[in-house]
Amino acid sequence: MIQIENMYKKYIMGDNVVNALNGVDLHIREHEFVAIVGPSGSGKSTLMNMIGCLDVPTAGRFFIDGYDASKLSDDQQAEIRNKKIGFVFQGFNLIQKLTALENVEMPLIYSGMRAAERQKRAVNALESVGLGDRVHHTPTELSGGQQQRVAIARALVTDPPIILGDEPTGNLDSKSGKEIMQIFKNLNAKGNTIILITHDDHIAEQAKRIIRIMDGKIIEDREVS
Amino acid sequence: MIQIENMYKKYIMGDNVVNALNGVDLHIREHEFVAIVGPSGSGKSTLMNMIGCLDVPTAGRFFIDGYDASKLSDDQQAEIRNKKIGFVFQGFNLIQKLTALENVEMPLIYSGMRAAERQKRAVNALESVGLGDRVHHTPTELSGGQQQRVAIARALVTDPPIILGDEPTGNLDSKSGKEIMQIFKNLNAKGNTIILITHDDHIAEQAKRIIRIMDGKIIEDREVS
Ligand SMILES: Nc1ncnc2c1ncn2[C@@H]1O[C@H](COP(=O)(O)OP(=O)(O)OP(=O)(O)O)[C@@H](O)[C@H]1O
Ligand SMILES: Nc1ncnc2c1ncn2[C@@H]1O[C@H](COP(=O)(O)OP(=O)(O)OP(=O)(O)O)[C@@H](O)[C@H]1O
Ligand SMILES: [Mg+2]
Ligand SMILES: [Mg+2]
């Protein structure tokens, strides 16, 4: 379902080159539950952005569901993102002037769903992450962990086949974090592919496979026992 | 040094009232090392913003170094913030068009330090958090954990007597998190007051006192054994 071959991502800053991805090969199949771990700055978010069709490598190939991403037009890439992928960003990327409800409705607007059904689904998604009483708050009227949960609800609301979470529990207390992990486990049990970046070993050990990255390379790739 | 008496912070949203702080009494002395813990949305960042003179309560009194904060002018409050407090924000609050170096220099510009000394201190602060090779990157050219470390360096660069950290290790792997905690411990050993909000019990147990908040109230306040 996701195939990365010999991928490089280089940033050129004056005389320096930053090798954010430095030769990555990776194959993730449908229904997997993968945790990506590694030090700060090691390339995890960069890798996630490639998987989410949000960035383009300097070299190497990327296939999603058999399509060579480099051969797709921008419109075709946007369509794959909207139909197949739900993304929880490390920095949330919520729209500041929209309420929690309006933020979570956005992916359903792209899918052409009509307003009454959209609002019902968005409210359900917000209730599932414990924010039923915060639906009309804008991001600045929410705590850090509440903003993170709005970002999670938005990633889940279209029930996408692939869910990408970049540090999805980083701002949550352990009880809220457990509730979010239970949501991901339930989705994986019904067939969604889950890929999470995490700095928390407790979270990583709840996945089925752990991929460890260092300096832009995969140094470990194992099943969770 | 920090005294909070019967503090309330209410937000009015249509017919609803959110009691972000719901009767808080708190006394923190010089040289303490305090961790503030509690569920997402319980009032921790709101409390921290009061301590940092960044917000005004709905009711109750706040004294910093003996001054009644409500009797200070905006200029006097700004002066207290610049001279006494270093703040690591939950959302980092870096200036997007400035480099890491320029972001860390900002508090030194306010203090009137001249350019050569300012740059030297800012570079030292960035090196101390492992970012010596990222000084000319802007926030969008940094990973999430690197942005967090720039925010930490900026809070430390004036060596302020009070350091407030809102989830300062939330985006860091455990090794980087340990290095940051060692910085805070060293500062506390030389006399700085450290107040950290954290969701990580390992981090909280490294403080000397743990304050637990729930629904805008302090429900526990104990020394760490
Ligand atoms: N401007 C606002 N208007 C309305 N409600 C607000 C506003 N700012 C904060 N709140 C509410 O006040 C409560 C406390 O927020 P606060 O940011 O202090 O929580 P927190 O303990 O820091 O949470 P987290 O661990 O998720 O960061 C939350 O329930 C939040 O929704
Ligand atoms: N636009 C850019 N220009 C230059 N360097 C960049 C840019 N974006 C990222 N980098 C660098 O690429 C490296 C990898 O970044 P990435 O965001 O993938 O790290 P990460 O593993 O997600 O880290 P964290 O755990 O801190 O979030 C970092 O060292 C970062 O400084
Ligand atoms: Mg990252
Ligand atoms: Mg907070």
Side-chain angles (χ1 to χ4, degrees):
Chain A
M1 158 175 260
I2 287 166
Q3 184 96 19
I4 289 177
E5 292 178 2
N6 206 23
M7 185 176 279
Y8 290 80
K9 180 71 177 181
K10 296 177 191 287
Y11 295 106
I12 304 195
M13 321 263 312
D15 297 336
N16 289 328
V17 180
V18 176
N19 293 310
L21 297 178
N22 204 13
V24 173
D25 296 295
L26 181 59
H27 186 189
I28 297 178
R29 294 177 181 78
E30 283 181 308
H31 316 310
E32 288 207 52
F33 193 156
V34 182
I36 298 176
V37 301
S40 171
S42 56
K44 305 179 296 297
S45 295
T46 304
L47 178 61
M48 195 76 116
N49 289 341
M50 299 297 173
I51 295 171
C53 297
L54 289 167
D55 196 2
V56 182
T58 313
R61 304 218 286 172
F62 173 56
F63 299 87
I64 177 158
D65 278 1
Y67 295 104
D68 182 341
S70 63
K71 308 244 176 321
L72 299 172
S73 69
D74 282 355
D75 281 353
Q76 287 170 319
Q77 288 202 16
E79 181 160 354
I80 284 191
R81 279 202 302 276
N82 293 332
K83 285 205 159 62
K84 289 187 184 292
I85 298 171
F87 209 134
V88 188
F89 294 94
Q90 189 167 10
F92 317 154
N93 294 4
L94 299 178
I95 301 180
Q96 298 296 314
K97 56 181 170 49
L98 298 184
T99 64
L101 181 62
E102 291 163 341
N103 267 285
V104 176
E105 283 184 295
M106 295 289 307
L108 298 172
I109 294 177
Y110 287 131
S111 73
M113 187 175 285
R114 57 187 214 295
E117 179 66 14
R118 228 168 50 210
Q119 181 152 335
K120 179 158 158 294
R121 291 214 193 183
V123 169
N124 284 348
L126 284 163
E127 285 175 343
S128 75
V129 296
L131 292 178
D133 60 353
R134 291 283 185 276
V135 297
H136 300 304
H137 287 231
T138 58
T140 54
E141 296 166 338
L142 293 168
S143 77
Q146 290 167 343
Q147 292 177 40
Q148 185 156 43
R149 284 182 274 156
V150 175
I152 293 167
R154 182 180 61 182
L156 305 182
V157 74
T158 56
D159 190 23
I162 304 170
I163 294 166
L164 306 182
D166 196 341
E167 304 282 353
T169 62
N171 278 283
L172 300 178
D173 56 282
S174 56
K175 179 159 174 287
S176 307
K178 281 197 179 79
E179 291 164 4
I180 295 302
M181 285 307 287
Q182 194 56 53
I183 293 175
F184 289 136
K185 287 177 192 172
N186 295 345
L187 288 167
N188 185 243
K190 84 167 176 59
N192 302 63
T193 306
I194 311 279
I195 305 171
L196 304 181
I197 292 172
T198 181
H199 281 308
D200 187 330
D201 292 329
H202 292 150
I203 300 280
E205 292 293 332
Q206 296 176 51
K208 295 178 186 164
R209 176 181 174 193
I210 294 181
I211 294 171
R212 184 171 299 275
I213 293 189
M214 192 167 220
D215 296 329
K217 287 184 161 76
I218 294 178
I219 60 169
E220 183 186 2
D221 187 344
R222 65 174 172 93
E223 304 281 317
V224 175
S225 39
Chain B
M1 155 177 264
I2 287 167
Q3 183 97 18
I4 288 177
E5 292 177 5
N6 206 24
M7 185 176 280
Y8 290 80
K9 180 70 178 181
K10 295 176 192 288
Y11 295 106
I12 306 196
M13 321 263 312
D15 297 333
N16 290 328
V17 181
V18 175
N19 293 310
L21 296 178
N22 205 13
V24 172
D25 297 293
L26 181 57
H27 187 189
I28 297 177
R29 295 178 180 76
E30 283 181 309
H31 317 310
E32 288 206 52
F33 193 156
V34 182
I36 299 176
V37 301
S40 173
S42 56
K44 306 179 297 296
S45 296
T46 304
L47 178 61
M48 194 77 116
N49 289 342
M50 299 299 173
I51 295 172
C53 298
L54 288 167
D55 198 1
V56 181
T58 312
R61 303 218 287 171
F62 173 55
F63 299 88
I64 177 159
D65 277 359
Y67 295 105
D68 182 342
S70 63
K71 308 246 179 316
L72 299 172
S73 69
D74 282 356
D75 281 354
Q76 288 170 319
Q77 289 203 16
E79 181 161 354
I80 284 191
R81 278 200 304 275
N82 293 332
K83 285 206 159 59
K84 290 187 183 293
I85 299 170
F87 210 134
V88 188
F89 294 94
Q90 190 168 10
F92 317 153
N93 293 5
L94 299 178
I95 300 179
Q96 298 296 315
K97 56 181 171 49
L98 298 184
T99 64
L101 182 63
E102 292 164 340
N103 266 285
V104 176
E105 283 184 296
M106 295 289 308
L108 299 172
I109 294 177
Y110 288 131
S111 73
M113 187 176 285
R114 54 186 217 296
E117 180 66 13
R118 228 167 51 209
Q119 182 153 337
K120 177 157 158 295
R121 291 212 192 184
V123 169
N124 284 348
L126 284 164
E127 285 175 344
S128 75
V129 297
L131 292 178
D133 59 353
R134 291 284 184 276
V135 296
H136 300 303
H137 288 231
T138 58
T140 54
E141 295 166 338
L142 292 169
S143 76
Q146 290 167 344
Q147 292 176 39
Q148 185 156 43
R149 284 182 274 157
V150 175
I152 293 168
R154 182 179 61 182
L156 305 182
V157 74
T158 56
D159 190 23
I162 304 169
I163 293 166
L164 305 181
D166 194 343
E167 306 281 350
T169 61
N171 278 283
L172 300 178
D173 56 282
S174 56
K175 180 161 175 286
S176 308
K178 281 197 178 80
E179 291 164 5
I180 295 303
M181 284 308 287
Q182 194 57 52
I183 293 175
F184 289 136
K185 288 176 188 173
N186 294 345
L187 288 166
N188 186 241
K190 83 168 177 56
N192 301 63
T193 306
I194 311 278
I195 306 170
L196 304 181
I197 293 172
T198 181
H199 282 306
D200 187 331
D201 293 329
H202 292 150
I203 300 279
E205 292 294 332
Q206 295 176 53
K208 295 178 184 163
R209 175 182 174 194
I210 294 181
I211 294 171
R212 185 171 299 276
I213 294 188
M214 191 168 222
D215 295 328
K217 288 185 161 74
I218 293 178
I219 62 169
E220 183 187 3
D221 188 344
R222 64 176 173 91
E223 305 280 319
V224 175
S225 39

